[in-house]
Each structure stands twice: as structure tokens, then as C-alpha cells.
Amino acid sequence: MKSAAVVNYAPEKGSVEIRELDRPTIGEDDVLLEVANVGVCGSDLHQWTSDHSWPVNYPVVLGHEFGGHISELGSRVTGWCEGDRVVSETAAVIDANNPMTRRGLYNLDPTRKGFGYGVNGAMTRFVRVPARCLHHVPDQLAFEQACLTEPCCVAFNAVVENSRIKPGDRVIVLGPGTIGILCAAMARLCGAEVALVGLESDRHRLEIGKHYGCEAIIGDATEWARKADGLGADCIIDAAGTSITLKIAMQLVRPNGHITKVGWGPQPLGFSLDPLVQKNVTLQGSFSHNWPIWERVIALLANGQLDVKPIIGGVWPITDWHEAFEKMHRGDVVKSVLKPV
């Protein structure tokens, strides 16, 4: 049984096409997941435009933001049934004996391989998933929203775990893409005042940030940063993925403040980090997520505290992947969602 799949087949720019692939075979600790919806991530776009900064095992099926129903169980899988509604974490391959994995931080296992670059992802009808990656999806949560659990977990890790934002903090988020908007929404849930910053070309996406009670700023955010006491914002979340935004973050953050970098960017910096030293600022990287974060985020989505509907720009059949990618790439929509055919 073959299914249409969105395959990234080579490192050259534009090397993505629809291919017909056989239904995967599963191991004894895996499930076969029938995909209901899969979100398009900025990293999928980066592999398509070939400006990514991570190794890819070509050819590979794209897609790591997904949910669906269990279609088949491996012989050693317990606690799950065929037909269960689930979403999957992204860490498809981990080393159980790695010191980070043993601490529960398998997202930081250096040998980790994820769906969509290390192993085949979910932009197709069936995907092989280790049972340890699965989380139940409550009936009231539609898969169009549940498939965005993963980027919500990226934001939760950046904002709650790695930035420890408190009520009353003033937070600036640089970059109004999916992760930036979700970081801004998460900071609002933590009780912070939040400004979301972008360029003139981001005007539409900045408007979506207003749904979450954020101030939208085009260009220079200095005035907002210094509004309270003249010293700068408590925390800057850099979700833009270009070098210059880290320089901007160092200008906007207050002395003894915090910068969390969650956006990827392979370019060299080309500027001094001295302001980091002079201001006694903490610079924190934030990568991925782990099991307890997923459980917490699913609860937030299911009970309505976190609503991802405003960022979803449409649902396309997998065969129309190119239009869905293009609309995200141009900034016409924040998040495209695909559906298998």
C-alpha cells in the first residue's frame, strides 16, 4: 500500500517533491500511526530552501508536528490500543544510556535524531513512531490544533523552563513567526507584559500577536523596553533566527536581565558580545522539549488556556504542499497545516 509523501531528497535548494512510498514496517516497540494532520515548521521550509544548519539523512519524509490514530501496535507495546488519538514527540531516535537521557533530558542527547531530518517524518499517511513518544489527545481537542503541540512545547520550554518569566515581567519577543507568537502567548500566560517585534513585512503576523494581548511593534522597540524605569526589558526572547537580532536583544535587555535564544541561525555574529558582560546579562539557549512539557501543554490546549487557532492559516492536502510552504515562506500565513490524501 503506497501513500503520497513530501520528500526532501537532496541538499540542493528546492529538492522537495511528492513521492509514493510504501507503508512503513514497525518494530516491536513501535506503533504505526495514521496521520490526521501535520504542521509545517520553519525547519521544513529551511530544508526546502537549503539554508538549514543541521545534518539531514536524505532522502527523508518531512514533518515532525503531527497527530493521528494508532493503526498498528508492535508486539512489546503496552498501554495503547488501536484507534487511540495521539500526538508524537520529535525525538525518534535516542540513546537510552546517554547521561542526558538518563536525566530525562533526552532532547539534549547529542546523538538524538528527529522526525523529518534524521528519520522519515509525518507528511504522509502512515509513520512509524516509537511508543515512548506518544501522548494521549483528549477528544475535545481537534487534530488541526493538536498537531501544533510540538511548537507549543518549544515555546513552553523557552519561556517557562528556560526563562522563568514571572507575573509583572516586561518581555520582548523578536520575530513573529510560529515560535515567536507562541512564546509571546506563553509569556502572557505567565503574567508578563509582552511586546512582539517584527519588520514592516511582518505586519499581518504581528496583528495575530494582538489576539494574545501583546503589543505589536514594527522596527525599533527601544521606547517600549525603557518605558517602565528607563533600563530595558526583563527578558528578550530571540525567535528570529538571524544574527542581528541577538545584537538588538543585548541593546533592549536591562542590566542583570535575561536573553533566551530559541531561533536557529547559521550565520556568524560579526559583532561584540561585550554588552552581555557589561550588563551582567544571562544568555540562555533553548532547544526542544521533553515528556512533562508535552503533558502540560496538551492540558493547556485541551482546557482552552492556550488557543492556537489564530495562528493556523489554512489546511492543505499533502499534494498541495508547495502552496502551503510558499504561503508560510512569504509570511502570508503564520502556520500551514497539511492533511494526508
Side-chain angles (χ1 to χ4, degrees), residues 16-288:
V16 173
E17 66 184 11
I18 289 286
R19 292 184 177 179
E20 293 289 323
L21 297 185
D22 290 324
R23 181 171 169 154
T25 56
I26 63 171
E28 57 189 11
D29 295 313
D30 302 324
V31 305
L32 187 67
L33 185 64
E34 184 170 9
V35 179
N37 288 107
V38 52
V40 179
C41 178
S43 62
D44 297 312
L45 301 182
H46 285 309
Q47 285 178 221
W48 172 50
T49 55
S50 195
D51 55 2
H52 58 286
S53 54
W54 51 88
V56 177
N57 288 334
Y58 303 102
V60 69
V61 179
L62 292 172
H64 60 265
E65 304 175 358
F66 62 99
H69 297 90
I70 295 176
S71 178
E72 184 184 336
L73 298 167
S75 60
R76 297 205 321 193
V77 174
T78 58
W80 298 101
C81 299
E82 289 184 14
D84 280 351
R85 303 177 84 243
V86 294
V87 286
S88 170
E89 295 188 32
T90 54
V93 179
I94 58 173
D95 176 3
N97 294 314
N98 185 274
M100 299 312 292
T101 303
R102 290 190 158 206
R103 292 177 59 190
L105 298 174
Y106 48 85
N107 53 310
L108 303 180
D109 170 6
T111 68
R112 166 195 185 278
K113 289 185 174 64
F115 293 105
Y117 70 89
V119 303
N120 279 340
M123 288 187 187
T124 185
R125 180 165 291 281
F126 293 100
V127 60
R128 168 184 169 173
V129 178
R132 61 172 172 77
C133 292
L134 299 176
H135 295 261
H136 274 292
V137 175
D139 290 341
Q140 72 267 29
L141 182 58
F143 279 120
E144 284 177 17
Q145 288 115 56
C147 74
L148 302 191
T149 305
E150 195 275 340
C152 293
C153 289
V154 171
F156 190 101
N157 195 32
V159 172
V160 181
E161 301 292 339
N162 285 322
S163 303
R164 293 182 169 82
I165 288 169
K166 301 181 293 298
D169 280 351
R170 291 174 59 78
V171 176
I172 293 176
V173 179
L174 303 175
T178 299
I179 300 301
I181 292 174
L182 290 174
C183 283
M186 204 65 73
R188 290 286 296 142
L189 280 178
C190 292
E193 290 183 79
V194 181
L196 184 62
V197 182
L199 306 172
E200 179 61 45
S201 57
D202 295 320
R203 186 177 288 274
H204 164 66
R205 300 193 294 180
L206 289 167
E207 285 295 316
I208 291 172
K210 291 181 180 178
H211 282 277
Y212 298 102
C214 303
E215 181 112 5
I217 297 176
I218 294 171
D220 187 5
T222 304
E223 184 180 347
W224 192 93
R226 296 181 178 170
K227 188 176 176 182
D229 61 6
L231 291 177
D234 298 287
C235 179
I236 315 294
I237 297 173
D238 180 359
T242 57
S243 298
I244 192 63
T245 49
L246 182 59
K247 185 176 184 181
I248 293 168
M250 291 192 296
Q251 293 164 357
L252 296 176
V253 71
R254 69 190 291 107
N256 207 42
H258 191 104
I259 299 170
T260 295
K261 183 157 173 46
V262 66
W264 290 77
Q267 308 87 1
L269 293 180
F271 53 83
S272 171
L273 294 178
D274 283 355
L276 208 66
V277 180
Q278 185 181 19
K279 287 185 172 182
N280 199 71
V281 168
T282 301
L283 176 60
Q284 169 78 49
S286 186
F287 176 66
S288 193

